[in-house]
Amino acid sequence: MSASNIEVIERFYTAFQQRDAEAMAACYAGDVVFSDPVFGELRGDEARDMWRMLVARAQNFSLTFDGVEADERNGRAHWVARYLFSQTGREVVNRIEARFVFRDGLIAEHRDTFDLWWWSRQALGIKGGLLGWTPMMQRAIRAQAKKGLELYRSRQLRT
């Protein structure tokens, strides 16, 4: 096990618990690749800005993490986020499995996986429960997330 890569994962999630997006971003390599079922694949500043946006929007937020493991190249963790989904005000408990690839002491790849249908049932209510499993609804969720991130990024460029 690589203690330094374990420390990077722990630093990332501790910063997330504290809603410190800049400390989270500092754990990423410049050309980081991030992916999850909602945002799809994001690279570099787009990935860092996603965390900045999510931290800024977080309401009634808490996070726990465990199962942190890492070697010289790869790592993993399990984390649970509890929050109010900003668009609906509905409570979400999202259980996520994270996989990491490290380079030069930083996270070069970060891949989160979770059940998008389960997430949509919580975040969107009946509509998510009835349609959240469909590719059409999942594409709509991704499109809305990307649109929100683009809007956030455009506002940050103006300030």
Side-chain angles (χ1 to χ4, degrees):
M1 289 250 234
S2 171
S4 62
N5 288 337
I6 288 173
E7 290 168 5
V8 172
I9 295 171
E10 291 176 344
R11 189 166 56 246
F12 181 86
Y13 287 116
T14 299
F16 199 0
Q17 287 174 323
Q18 297 167 352
R19 296 172 58 174
D20 184 347
E22 296 312 312
M24 294 171 71
C27 295
Y28 276 173
D31 62 347
V32 67
V33 176
F34 170 85
S35 69
D36 82 355
V38 171
F39 286 93
E41 188 168 287
L42 305 173
R43 295 177 176 271
D45 286 337
E46 194 176 31
R48 285 182 280 280
D49 286 345
M50 177 209 55
W51 292 118
R52 290 177 180 114
M53 177 185 75
L54 293 177
V55 163
R57 290 182 178 175
Q59 299 175 31
N60 293 1
F61 174 80
S62 69
L63 179 135
T64 58
F65 66 95
D66 59 26
V68 176
E69 298 176 8
D71 59 24
E72 295 304 315
R73 173 136 171 85
N74 299 294
R76 58 181 284 164
H78 171 80
W79 59 284
V80 179
R82 290 174 172 79
Y83 58 94
L84 291 182
F85 183 58
S86 62
Q87 294 176 355
T88 62
R90 296 179 58 85
E91 185 176 23
V92 172
V93 178
N94 202 11
R95 291 170 173 74
I96 299 139
E97 295 300 322
R99 300 271 191 258
F100 303 94
V101 175
F102 301 97
R103 186 177 66 244
D104 301 326
L106 295 171
I107 299 168
E109 291 181 29
H110 177 178
R111 307 219 180 254
D112 282 348
T113 58
F114 58 88
D115 185 334
L116 185 54
W117 184 22
W118 179 249
W119 177 90
S120 69
R121 290 189 302 209
Q122 295 177 83
L124 305 175
I126 291 194
K127 180 178 166 184
L130 293 174
L131 300 173
W133 63 272
T134 66
M136 180 184 73
M137 179 64 128
Q138 291 185 0
R139 279 191 303 274
I141 290 168
R142 288 184 191 104
Q144 185 67 28
K146 286 275 197 171
K147 182 179 173 184
L149 180 56
E150 289 169 9
L151 181 61
Y152 174 83
R153 295 188 80 207
S154 71
R155 287 181 179 157
Q156 296 309 302
L157 291 174
R158 286 187 254 149
T159 58

